[in-house]
Amino acid sequence: MASKITRRDFLNGMAIGAGASLLMPGQVIAQASGSLVSKTLPGDYYPPTLTGMRGSHKGSYEVAHALAWNNQKPAHYEELDEHYDLVVVGAGQSGLAAAWYYRKKMGPTAKILLLDNHDDFGGHAKRNEFHQNGRMVLSLGGAQNIERMSGYSETAVGLLEDIGIDQKALDSIAINTPDNFALAGKISANNAMTIPSTEGHKTVSGNWMGYFHGGEGYKEAVKELPIPGIEQNKLIAFFGGERDFLDDLSLLEQYRYVKSVSYNQFLVERVGLAEETLPILGSFMSILNGPAGWNHTVLEALVSGCPGLKAMGWITNRLSDLAGAFVLGDAPVAYMLPDGNASVARLLVHKLIPNVAPTMKGLEDVAVAQFNYTALDLEKNTTRLRLNSTVVGVKEITSKYVQVDYIQKGKALRVSANHCVLACYNGLIPHLCPEMSKEQKEGLSYGVKAPFVYANVLLKNGRAFAGLGATLTQCPYDPFQWVSAAPTMTAGGYQPPQNPDQPMAVFMMASPTPADVKDMPARDLFRVGRHKIYATPFKAYEQEIRDQLQSMLGQHGFNHETDIAAITVNRIPHGYAYSYMGLDDPEWEEGQAPHEIGRAQFGRISIANSDSEAMPLMQAAFDAAWRAVEEQSA
Ligand SMILES: Cc1cc2nc3c(=O)[nH]c(=O)nc-3n(C[C@H](O)[C@H](O)[C@H](O)COP(=O)(O)OP(=O)(O)OC[C@H]3O[C@@H](n4cnc5c(N)ncnc54)[C@H](O)[C@@H]3O)c2cc1C
């Protein structure tokens, strides 16, 4: 235990040393004013088309870091003549949902203010929009897809239906998603494996999700990989289930084993794979969950869809449905819109502030509708959404109202409200509300969000990319471990590129969480990954992207110097809500888990956001919002 604390302190110190120590007190807040903020937004303000470093962009994080690291915030605030029924901190899916639930319950005259530190709304659900040769090319800057409705609570389904997303609409999106588009859950689509070789990257096309589970052609595909023959043979035996790698253990011992041993340890010790081979099996988990195989139990890895189900007798039986789904290509469907869940955020914003897109009808044109950001924060709106505004203090005053302090354009401002919902990050809440109990603060501070980097690269045409023979390929040895075409579904009024001669976007995903570190809890690795993100300048990402794409696509006629039209890097240092890991976390009794203790109502302040559900999914963000609004309107 002692060494755990030491390591964590060391990591925290590393992050602080990299950022705050370079700044004198007062400088941090002034620095944030260097963003694009103005009190009223300029007429051409439209962040989705901005390129370069996006996501956690300059001006969005400095104020919060000064508060969290150095307890630094202004002593005085200008009191605005603004009082609201509800102030929501954070305009991600949870904050937007909280505003909608509150308005539905209290009526359309309820006065609501949403504050967000970014220059765009949506939180993780961000839109990247390009224009090239008269065509709009859309992609995701974060949260990707809508899960099956059966996994949503009644209130979350109600919200989706309010914004026009019901099962019929989802079915229509699925039908209009090409069968070859693997990223949108088309599990039988080709998804390739790309591995560096002496002659540049070698891409072996085929259905690797199927090959992982002994799907047709797996032996031939593995034999094509540029790795030693002995490793090929081990992978073939493992994927095909040629033997049960736990057959010396009793049933009970097997059960304990898969719940307590890391997936990578199993692969090395039982399957006999060399550590150099592990990324081939692990990039899947890194992109899906954040950490790689040293931080997942065998069971967690298998449930995530990693290979091995066929090579463990009893588990194959227990989880045969899942195994069958992957092998036969009938895995759960995820529904995707052309800009991912950013369209869900757009629909919510439109519902709250219709004037932002007066001619937009709904789901049928959400992807192409023009959004007028200057309408977000007008005095006449009953709901106002204020961007570029970092909240630094939320305080209940004599149980009568809440005072909310924030910084916008370097100015320290104060509004008041009857109620406040914190739909921001759990980790920051103790700094916003220092009056909270030690126990609640510890609960809120326990989880660490998993960092990610999503880049989009606009190509003048898609000819070289078509040479890969798949719309998605895993690149386990590269900085960006998954590379896909940007969404190609015809949905929300969007017409994706029609043929390889047209411009396209390449969507590249990276998990910066170290994949090769053993015996370090995932939460510490997330801190390392987050630090890496903040320490990496755009130029470095650009170089990595150019090098990776050139090596992958050069053999198909690609020239990065002439074929790339734009690059957008969405860095997401505070990504997925922390969900408990079998190797790191105890099994708490109901009500005793840190997120449950942390999310307790605090007078006129309630806590939403997906962190408060310890689940990195949109349905969790909605459920948290519902709970928070119920608390405040009871
Ligand atoms: C890369 C990635 C991919 C994902 N893919 C999916 C997916 O495919 N499907 C799915 O269901 N879920 C996905 N998720 C999970 C996603 O987190 C949730 O779906 C949901 O978007 C979370 O919403 P939220 O409002 O809880 O948090 P966030 O989206 O993080 O929103 C919180 C907002 O509060 C702001 N904020 C924080 N502090 C302050 C402050 N002091 N003042 C003002 N504002 C503040 C933040 O900057 C942010 O804008 C993904 C997440 C990531 C990171």
Side-chain angles (χ1 to χ4, degrees):
M1 182 53 109
S3 70
K4 263 193 186 175
I5 290 165
T6 312
R7 189 165 42 229
R8 194 171 313 132
D9 288 347
F10 165 71
L11 293 168
N12 273 333
M14 203 164 76
I16 292 166
S21 67
L22 304 175
L23 300 161
M24 298 300 287
Q27 244 182 310
V28 175
I29 289 162
Q31 193 187 59
S33 67
S35 68
L36 357 146
V37 189
S38 74
K39 191 160 185 200
T40 47
L41 299 170
D44 60 351
Y45 186 98
Y46 189 66
T49 49
L50 294 177
T51 56
M53 189 68 96
R54 300 292 298 147
S56 187
H57 58 80
K58 188 171 182 293
S60 66
Y61 54 88
E62 296 85 345
V63 168
H65 285 180
L67 175 66
W69 297 347
N70 293 343
N71 200 23
Q72 187 193 340
K73 65 175 181 175
H76 303 287
Y77 297 83
E78 179 188 333
E79 294 209 18
L80 300 181
D81 185 19
E82 295 181 20
H83 180 83
Y84 296 90
D85 294 310
L86 175 71
V87 167
V88 181
V89 180
Q93 301 288 25
S94 198
L96 294 169
W100 178 245
Y101 285 136
Y102 188 82
R103 184 187 148 111
K104 244 190 123 177
K105 189 156 185 187
M106 308 312 279
T109 55
K111 282 191 74 187
I112 303 170
L113 173 69
L114 291 124
L115 294 164
D116 198 281
N117 57 321
H118 287 101
D119 61 12
D120 201 354
F121 55 77
H124 293 154
K126 283 275 158 63
R127 170 182 172 102
N128 285 177
E129 178 180 325
F130 300 100
H131 292 267
Q132 178 79 6
N133 299 347
R135 287 194 70 84
M136 175 195 273
V137 180
L138 291 178
S139 193
L140 329 151
Q144 301 195 15
N145 50 47
I146 306 169
E147 311 271 313
R148 268 180 194 278
M149 278 238 182
S150 55
Y152 279 62
S153 65
E154 214 177 295
T155 49
V157 169
L159 180 143
L160 284 179
E161 287 176 351
D162 286 344
I163 57 173
I165 301 179
D166 55 14
Q167 193 53 52
K168 205 168 142 220
L170 292 178
D171 292 343
S172 151
I173 292 169
I175 289 167
N176 288 309
T177 302
D179 284 339
N180 72 354
F181 193 65
L183 191 68
K186 297 279 182 180
I187 280 298
S188 48
N190 266 7
N191 54 88
M193 184 69 71
T194 299
I195 293 189
S197 73
T198 41
E199 298 96 42
H201 281 51
K202 179 171 183 186
T203 295
V204 181
S205 196
N207 185 349
W208 278 87
M209 302 290 182
Y211 297 157
F212 278 170
H213 303 281
E216 199 186 334
Y218 73 99
K219 289 184 186 167
E220 296 76 8
V222 172
K223 279 284 174 199
E224 279 194 58
L225 293 179
I227 60 172
I230 185 168
E231 292 298 301
Q232 292 175 344
N233 291 338
K234 286 183 216 160
L235 285 179
I236 287 170
F238 183 51
F239 293 171
E242 287 176 16
R243 52 167 287 230
D244 180 347
F245 289 92
L246 300 181
D247 59 359
D248 58 319
L249 304 180
S250 70
L251 279 184
L252 186 62
E253 286 168 338
Q254 287 188 10
Y255 181 68
R256 288 193 181 129
Y257 184 93
V258 297
K259 283 191 75 179
S260 63
V261 171
S262 84
Y263 183 61
N264 276 4
Q265 191 179 335
F266 161 72
L267 294 177
V268 171
E269 290 178 3
R270 295 241 162 201
V271 184
L273 288 170
E275 289 196 17
E276 294 71 39
T277 309
L278 300 183
I280 294 175
L281 296 93
S283 74
F284 184 79
M285 234 177 326
S286 294
I287 289 302
L288 212 63
N289 299 345
W294 295 111
N295 290 89
H296 286 84
T297 63
V298 178
L299 191 59
E300 286 168 343
L302 296 179
V303 170
S304 297
C306 288
L309 279 171
K310 290 194 100 180
M312 275 174 259
W314 72 272
I315 288 183
T316 308
N317 294 332
R318 288 283 299 277
L319 300 178
S320 58
D321 283 352
L322 186 61
F326 274 95
V327 177
L328 302 174
D330 185 27
V333 179
Y335 306 92
M336 189 178 270
L337 286 154
D339 56 3
N341 290 355
S343 273
V344 179
R346 289 185 133 214
L347 287 165
L348 270 166
V349 169
H350 182 246
K351 202 82 187 159
L352 290 162
I353 310 168
N355 271 343
V356 78
T359 58
M360 177 177 134
K361 296 189 205 84
L363 183 61
E364 63 263 47
D365 59 351
V366 63
V368 292
Q370 298 218 323
F371 266 52
N372 172 13
Y373 279 65
T374 62
L376 289 172
D377 189 15
L378 298 179
E379 219 172 316
K380 63 175 185 186
N381 298 355
T382 47
T383 299
R384 301 174 75 167
L385 199 165
R386 193 163 295 164
L387 296 167
N388 304 299
S389 300
T390 306
V391 173
V392 290
V394 180
K395 190 173 180 184
E396 195 183 45
I397 309 291
T398 59
S399 307
K400 290 213 172 89
Y401 68 99
V402 186
Q403 184 177 280
V404 181
D405 297 339
Y406 67 96
I407 300 194
Q408 189 195 40
K409 202 186 173 188
K411 274 196 177 160
L413 303 168
R414 173 171 290 165
V415 292
S416 62
N418 296 337
H419 305 277
C420 180
V421 167
L422 299 177
C424 49
Y425 309 143
N426 267 4
L428 193 65
I429 293 175
H431 305 282
L432 302 183
C433 306
E435 297 81 12
M436 276 178 176
S437 71
K438 186 165 169 279
E439 195 195 14
Q440 183 163 9
K441 283 184 190 167
E442 278 171 6
L444 288 163
S445 308
Y446 184 87
V448 179
K449 291 165 96 59
F452 290 93
V453 180
Y454 280 4
N456 280 298
V457 184
L458 179 67
L459 303 186
K460 291 181 185 161
N461 64 68
R463 290 191 286 269
F465 194 87
L468 288 178
T471 59
L472 169 72
T473 185
Q474 302 188 43
C475 306
Y477 298 97
D478 283 292
F480 289 84
Q481 297 113 323
W482 275 29
V483 176
S484 169
T488 58
M489 64 286 303
T490 309
Y494 177 63
Q495 284 300 317
Q498 304 296 302
N499 60 59
D501 292 329
Q502 293 186 339
M504 72 167 289
V506 178
F507 175 50
M508 304 175 72
M509 291 153 268
S511 166
T513 301
D516 54 354
V517 179
K518 302 168 199 168
D519 302 325
M520 197 187 261
R523 290 182 295 151
D524 287 345
L525 290 175
F526 293 157
R527 290 186 175 99
V528 175
R530 186 205 300 164
H531 169 70
K532 190 173 157 200
I533 287 188
Y534 280 120
T536 307
F538 176 76
K539 270 272 153 226
Y541 284 121
E542 179 180 358
Q543 195 60 53
E544 285 178 356
I545 288 166
R546 287 180 182 277
D547 289 349
Q548 186 173 340
L549 288 182
Q550 190 60 45
S551 191
M552 288 171 64
L553 303 178
Q555 56 209 286
H556 305 296
F558 180 75
N559 179 348
H560 75 92
E561 284 176 356
T562 51
D563 291 341
I564 292 178
I567 298 177
T568 301
V569 174
N570 304 275
R571 56 178 185 185
I572 313 168
H574 302 276
Y576 285 176
Y578 184 71
S579 53
Y580 301 112
M581 314 275 307
L583 292 174
D584 298 343
D585 302 305
E587 285 184 15
W588 285 280
E589 283 182 25
E590 202 177 330
Q592 294 308 305
H595 73 285
E596 292 172 313
I597 293 169
R599 72 187 182 199
Q601 182 176 356
F602 190 58
R604 287 177 175 269
I605 302 162
S606 280
I607 296 172
N609 82 61
S610 47
D611 291 350
S612 71
E613 297 289 315
M615 189 190 283
L617 288 173
M618 187 163 71
Q619 52 265 51
F622 291 167
D623 288 346
W626 172 263
R627 176 183 36 73
V629 167
E630 283 297 291
E631 284 170 6
Q632 290 302 320
S633 57

